[in-house]
Amino acid sequence: MEKQYCKVGTVTPIEGNGHTLQILQWQYTHFLSKANGNNVDSRLLEFFESKAQKVKKAMEELVS
């Protein structure tokens, strides 16, 4: 029997892509819209806001 490698949880880096800034902007707006949803628990709200802040920081580092 041959070994099989599972790709679940693998991450593809987006740095080499020419659309990196657009992807990060989409992620930022996506996380903010999720945080502003009607049925969001306070812990989930904090999670989405923290993810948005991390993406914003990555965008700022990419631009500078």
Side-chain angles (χ1 to χ4, degrees), residues 34-35 37-48:
K34 290 282 191 180
N38 294 333
N39 300 328
V40 178
D41 184 21
S42 63
R43 288 179 279 164
L44 191 56
L45 173 71
E46 291 176 12
F47 171 76
F48 286 134

Side-chain angles (χ1 to χ4, degrees), residues 4-24:
Q4 295 180 351
Y5 297 100
C6 182
K7 292 185 178 184
V8 174
T10 60
V11 177
T12 303
I14 60 172
E15 288 91 21
N17 191 348
H19 304 287
T20 304
L21 188 58
Q22 291 86 3
I23 293 170
L24 290 175

